């Protein structure tokens, strides 16, 4: 189904200016134009835009995404494309692990302040020994107190 730039903007949530930018950067190499030279997007372009946004969110630059797109359809570039995804996967796994550590601390601090609010004072919380802290929060607390 053909889509105007306005239609595709609504469908993807991307501003028309971003869609034009992606086109000018060569990220939509199969994008068609009508007789008035207006961009006409297809369902395939929608899929391409979803992939571009995924790659951006994973941390790739526009230049890196363009390089990936330039490899498309070239059998000799299959391993290169696979390697891009493997590398991003490892980076994202590490970021998720790091974020889990951050979330663990936030969860601990929520528990900490909820209990302090219930007690009416933080002083009771400061006196808790490690064994008095629920096990699921101990590692987060240790990480806060750990010196490099």
């Amino acid at each position: 189904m053909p889509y105007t730039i306005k239609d595709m903007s609504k469908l993807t949530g991307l501003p028309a200016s971003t869609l034009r930018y992606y086109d000018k950067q060569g990220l939509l190499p199969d994008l068609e134009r009508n007789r008035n030279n207006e961009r006409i997007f297809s369902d395939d372009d929608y899929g391409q835009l979803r992939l571009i946004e995924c790659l951006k969110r994973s941390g790739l630059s526009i230049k890196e995404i363009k390089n990936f797109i330039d490899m498309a359809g070239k059998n000799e570039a299959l391993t290169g494309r696979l390697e891009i995804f493997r590398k991003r996967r490892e980076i994202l796994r590490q970021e998720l692990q790091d974020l889990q550590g951050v979330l663990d601390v936030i969860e601990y601090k929520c528990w900490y302040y909820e209990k302090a609010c219930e007690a009416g004072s933080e002083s009771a919380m400061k006196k808790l020994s490690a064994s008095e802290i629920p096990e699921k929060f101990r590692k987060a607390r240790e990480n806060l107190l750990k010196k490099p």
Side-chain angles (χ1 to χ4, degrees):
M1 176 173 176
Y3 303 93
T4 65
I5 197 163
K6 184 178 179 180
D7 296 333
M8 191 55 71
S9 178
K10 284 182 184 176
L11 192 60
T12 61
L14 296 170
S17 59
T18 298
L19 298 174
R20 286 186 203 93
Y21 176 73
Y22 287 172
D23 181 30
K24 287 178 184 174
Q25 295 303 309
L27 303 184
L28 300 164
D30 299 325
L31 188 63
E32 295 183 18
R33 291 183 180 259
N34 65 16
R35 64 178 173 254
N36 295 327
N37 204 31
E38 298 166 329
R39 294 168 178 88
I40 301 298
F41 295 84
S42 67
D43 290 328
D44 288 341
D45 295 320
Y46 173 77
Q48 182 81 340
L49 288 165
R50 295 283 311 255
L51 178 60
I52 291 166
E53 286 302 298
C54 176
L55 293 173
K56 272 184 58 186
R57 290 189 72 203
S58 80
L60 288 182
S61 68
I62 294 295
K63 184 178 178 181
E64 291 168 318
I65 295 170
K66 170 74 167 111
N67 182 48
F68 171 81
I69 289 170
D70 288 345
M71 292 182 195
K74 299 175 184 171
N75 284 335
E76 64 276 6
L78 285 174
T79 55
R81 295 177 90 197
L82 173 60
E83 196 52 40
I84 288 170
F85 279 99
R86 284 181 173 161
K87 185 177 180 181
R88 292 313 311 157
R89 178 177 62 189
E90 286 309 308
I91 290 168
L92 288 171
R93 282 180 176 162
Q94 184 61 52
E95 288 176 5
L96 283 171
Q97 186 177 345
D98 294 346
L99 280 174
Q100 185 61 56
V102 171
L103 180 58
D104 291 346
V105 169
I106 298 299
E107 294 283 4
Y108 162 66
K109 284 301 197 175
C110 284
W111 170 83
Y112 177 95
Y113 286 110
E114 285 166 2
K115 294 297 180 187
C117 287
E118 287 173 15
S121 168
E122 190 176 358
S123 61
M125 297 306 292
K126 289 182 176 183
K127 295 176 185 174
L128 290 178
S129 67
S131 64
E132 294 174 292
I133 293 172
E135 189 173 336
K136 66 181 181 179
F137 299 127
R138 289 180 192 160
K139 185 175 179 185
R141 181 176 183 264
E142 288 171 19
N143 286 340
L144 283 174
L145 300 175
K146 183 171 49 175
K147 294 183 176 124

